[in-house]
Amino acid sequence: MASDEDDQRVPLKEQLRLFRRLAVPYFEQAEGAKLQFALLLLLVLIDAGVSVVFSYVGRDFYSALSAKDQALFIEKTANFAVGLAVATPLTVLFRFQRSRLALNWRAWMTTELARQYCTDQTFYQIELDPRVDNPDQRLTEDIKAFTAVSLDFGIDLMTSVIDLVSFSGILYSIYPELFYVIFAYATFGTLTTLQLGKTLVGQNAQVLLREANLRYSLVRLRENAESIAFYGGEAQEAREVRDRLEGAVEGRRAVLGTQRNLEFFTTAYRYAIQILPVLVVSPLYFAGTIELGVITQSSGAFNSILDDLSLIVNEFEGISRFSAGLRRLTAFGDSAAPSTPPVPAPPSPSPLPFRALAIDDLSLLTPDGSRLLFANVSLTVRCGEHLLVTGQSGAGKSSMLRAIAGLWTRGSGIVTRPLTADTMFLPQRPYCALGSLRQQLVYPRPLEEWSGAEWTGTDDALLRALGEVQLTRLASEGTAGLDAVRDWADELSLGEQQRLSIARVLLRKPRLAILDEATSALDLENEALLYNALGQLEGLTYLSVGHRPSLLNFHASRLRLYGVERTPCYAVETIG
């Protein structure tokens, strides 16, 4: 559902402040951005000059035609052809530079926001924030619209100012009364448009949200196709897609209704200007004071100035969509920007010389702070020891791991563990990255680090790790098989994905591995094989969450979580 913010009207001053926050960094930080913008400004001036020159060329052309002077007409036609030959490449270059700058701006802005989004687990925190929906759309469609509309509207505004100065002199010299009429007409049009279309901003924000939700439901359907097929949940999924589609269509209908009412006025407004300047200056023509070419020039100048003064009228629908996207993009940028840690200080990892893990008086709440999960938990795990975490569903087992990882930070206490580079977390459903089998095995490190001085890794090591976790079928093609690129999340069963995640541990050799139901999809024989392989890694300590009694065979101690209803809410005991 949309938040209340979508329906609030943001004052113009605040929208300008938000725009500056998003727009200025590119021109301050990106290499060559100022030069590209300066070139665009130069081409804007040239394009405006071309328009003024053509107003005089067109005037002389029609005056020669009206005078029925064939020689003069041919001369003015030749002048028009020369002007066209000069103006065409200049206009094309202007449009090309505008599009190129928009593309470069979009690329830089997307890269910067994506960098913030992928830094310090911001993407995870945003998922927990109900105020920011559909971050993928904000990183793609909203940025694309922001950069394109910003440049288009900014250039239109600059061109309008230049044209206003240039053509006002022309129009005032022809007939001062026409100059006053145009200002009165433009003011009337702008005020009426603002009044008729004031609800479009909120309506467009609703459309953006509902269409993004519709796309998200279709993505979820695709990503969970097999599970849905097993459940036979097609009917419910179809109903969900239909409901979201109806919401998007309903929002679009509301926009169409407002646009219809607005266009009743704007269409009549645009049609009227075709004859209004001619009506005003026609008495001078009938009196013989001016020529036909002067009428065409005054009409062109009138229309040009009116377009400049009617920028709000002509671009109101686009501006309303831009305003809605601006608020969404700013909210995303605020969430993705680095922030200071909350108070009280959250659990945080620190280097540890002799112990693998230490938890001191740890209390944890859900990210929204609505529920206490456990309180005052303290324990120490020495290097080489292995801890099993058990408890009833909802007792906080997985939440404990999130606290150790630093993902959930709402609470108090101290968590001390090896540095992130020496720690690995294995979720129940492993993540399979896009790319080759080789990239799956060394994830999350880049391939360059695998073959670099730190790891001194080889393909033989990768193949050996696959063999240790019983994924020999993937290693059967040797080195060539490591370069195979497939949809590994779809290619591998959950059990095979869990074996792959254990292979990552064997290759990386961390000091601490934390397994959240990481062998739940395996039979007991393969589970034992993988835990034995982990036990043979020198210097490794692992912590497991699980329910199977068989896990007791691979751990020296157990942490029981009972839930906050019991005091104390936990117990640590030796297994044996």
Side-chain angles (χ1 to χ4, degrees):
M1 295 178 62
S3 65
D4 294 339
E5 295 176 355
D6 292 329
D7 297 321
Q8 296 175 357
R9 296 182 63 189
V10 180
L12 178 61
K13 184 177 180 180
E14 175 65 11
Q15 291 196 44
L16 291 175
R17 185 186 69 82
L18 296 179
F19 173 78
R20 284 195 299 270
R21 281 183 53 196
L22 291 174
V24 170
Y26 170 68
F27 297 98
E28 290 183 341
Q29 301 173 24
E31 183 178 356
K34 293 179 181 178
L35 181 61
Q36 289 186 37
F37 187 64
L39 176 59
L40 182 62
L41 287 180
L42 176 61
L43 290 171
V44 167
L45 291 173
I46 293 174
D47 188 67
V50 167
S51 298
V52 173
V53 170
F54 263 89
S55 76
Y56 285 98
V57 171
R59 180 198 65 181
D60 294 343
F61 177 84
Y62 282 105
S63 293
L65 180 65
S66 176
K68 299 181 180 180
D69 186 334
Q70 187 174 8
L72 183 62
F73 178 75
I74 293 175
E75 177 186 342
K76 298 307 178 184
T77 302
N79 291 344
F80 189 92
V82 171
L84 184 63
V86 173
T88 297
L90 292 174
T91 301
V92 171
L93 285 175
F94 161 62
R95 293 174 180 172
F96 169 76
Q97 179 62 15
R98 179 174 61 182
S99 300
R100 184 173 71 164
L101 181 56
L103 179 61
N104 292 342
W105 188 4
R106 177 192 178 190
W108 184 90
M109 192 172 180
T110 303
T111 300
E112 179 62 20
L113 282 179
R115 181 191 62 78
Q116 295 179 15
Y117 183 59
C118 296
T119 299
D120 296 329
Q121 300 168 337
T122 301
F123 57 89
Y124 181 81
Q125 301 303 326
I126 285 180
E127 282 298 308
L128 302 176
D129 188 349
R131 297 171 299 175
V132 181
D133 60 87
N134 303 292
D136 52 320
Q137 183 193 31
R138 301 191 189 211
L139 273 171
T140 53
E141 296 301 321
D142 288 356
I143 290 180
K144 178 181 177 181
F146 173 79
T147 54
V149 175
S150 295
L151 272 183
D152 288 346
F153 185 74
I155 290 170
D156 287 345
L157 187 60
M158 287 187 290
T159 304
S160 296
V161 173
I162 296 170
D163 284 352
L164 186 61
V165 174
S166 303
F167 287 104
S168 291
I170 296 174
L171 197 64
Y172 192 84
S173 66
I174 295 173
Y175 195 38
E177 284 77 0
L178 186 58
F179 183 77
Y180 300 132
V181 167
I182 194 172
F183 274 93
Y185 190 68
T187 301
F188 166 72
T190 299
L191 294 177
T192 305
T193 299
L194 290 173
Q195 181 63 30
L196 292 175
K198 61 183 178 182
T199 61
L200 266 181
V201 173
Q203 290 173 341
N204 276 306
Q206 287 287 327
V207 168
L208 286 173
L209 174 63
R210 293 177 181 182
E211 289 186 349
N213 287 339
L214 172 61
R215 285 193 296 270
Y216 177 67
S217 67
L218 293 171
V219 169
R220 289 188 74 253
L221 177 61
R222 184 191 67 199
E223 291 181 344
N224 298 278
E226 183 175 80
S227 298
I228 294 169
F230 274 127
Y231 277 111
E234 298 91 330
Q236 181 171 336
E237 295 301 321
R239 183 165 57 250
E240 179 67 23
V241 170
R242 184 179 64 250
D243 290 345
R244 295 194 177 204
L245 175 61
E246 288 176 354
V249 171
E250 179 186 351
R252 182 62 66 182
R253 284 197 180 111
V255 170
L256 289 176
T258 304
Q259 288 176 337
R260 176 203 59 206
N261 297 337
L262 183 61
E263 288 181 5
F264 278 133
F265 172 75
T266 57
T267 301
Y269 179 87
R270 294 188 186 103
Y271 275 126
I273 64 176
Q274 296 180 20
I275 64 169
L276 183 60
V278 178
L279 290 176
V280 175
V281 300
S282 59
L284 296 179
Y285 177 74
F286 292 129
T289 307
I290 60 175
E291 299 174 337
L292 178 62
V294 175
I295 289 184
T296 61
Q297 185 183 29
S298 65
S299 180
F302 184 94
N303 280 276
S304 182
I305 294 175
L306 189 61
D307 280 343
D308 301 335
L309 296 176
S310 304
L311 191 59
I312 299 297
V313 177
N314 298 331
E315 302 291 341
F316 188 81
E317 294 175 15
I319 293 172
S320 67
R321 289 192 297 271
F322 173 77
S323 178
L326 176 65
R327 290 154 57 188
R328 288 170 52 82
L329 202 52
T330 303
F332 177 80
D334 289 341
S335 299
S339 59
T340 56
V343 178
S348 58
S350 302
L352 201 61
F354 304 112
R355 296 167 295 170
L357 177 68
I359 297 175
D360 183 21
D361 200 29
L362 178 63
S363 299
L364 186 71
L365 295 90
T366 53
D368 60 3
S370 63
R371 185 165 66 93
L372 179 66
L373 298 166
F374 51 77
N376 310 118
V377 175
S378 298
L379 63 89
T380 298
V381 180
R382 298 185 63 82
C383 293
E385 295 181 353
H386 309 304
L387 176 70
L388 177 64
V389 181
T390 63
Q392 297 295 322
S393 179
K397 303 184 298 300
S398 295
S399 301
M400 170 72 73
L401 303 191
R402 296 185 183 107
I404 294 173
L407 297 180
W408 285 16
T409 59
R410 196 77 177 261
S412 60
I414 299 174
V415 173
T416 313
R417 61 165 173 82
L419 295 173
T420 301
D422 295 320
T423 306
M424 288 191 71
F425 295 86
L426 281 65
Q428 183 176 14
R429 178 172 289 277
Y431 173 69
C432 291
L434 300 175
S436 66
L437 178 58
R438 190 191 311 274
Q439 289 172 297
Q440 307 307 311
L441 287 165
V442 303
Y443 187 84
R445 297 295 183 90
L447 285 175
E448 295 77 11
E449 290 191 22
W450 165 250
S451 57
E454 179 185 350
W455 282 24
T456 61
T458 64
D459 288 349
D460 288 341
L462 298 177
L463 296 172
R464 188 164 54 250
L466 287 173
E468 289 185 67
V469 298
Q470 300 297 298
L471 287 176
T472 52
R473 75 173 182 86
L474 298 180
S476 60
E477 297 180 13
T479 301
L482 295 174
D483 294 321
V485 177
R486 301 172 189 164
D487 185 352
W488 296 105
D490 185 60
E491 173 86 9
L492 303 177
S493 68
L494 179 57
E496 289 176 319
Q497 292 177 41
Q498 290 182 343
R499 295 182 204 177
L500 184 65
S501 69
I502 298 294
R504 291 170 178 168
V505 178
L506 299 179
L507 289 165
R508 186 168 173 179
K509 299 180 175 62
R511 289 181 56 196
L512 177 65
I514 300 176
L515 292 73
D516 185 7
E517 302 275 7
T519 58
S520 60
L522 300 175
D523 57 72
L524 296 180
E525 180 180 351
N526 277 300
E527 179 183 74
L529 185 146
L530 295 185
Y531 268 104
N532 288 332
L534 292 176
Q536 293 174 13
L537 280 182
E538 184 178 353
L540 174 68
T541 302
Y542 56 77
L543 182 154
S544 304
V545 168
H547 296 88
R548 287 180 172 180
S550 58
L551 294 176
L552 295 171
N553 300 324
F554 313 110
H555 300 81
S557 56
R558 171 165 55 182
L559 168 64
R560 290 180 182 267
L561 294 177
Y562 301 114
V564 291
E565 296 80 10
R566 177 171 169 175
T567 305
C569 66
Y570 74 101
V572 180
E573 58 192 30
T574 302
I575 298 174

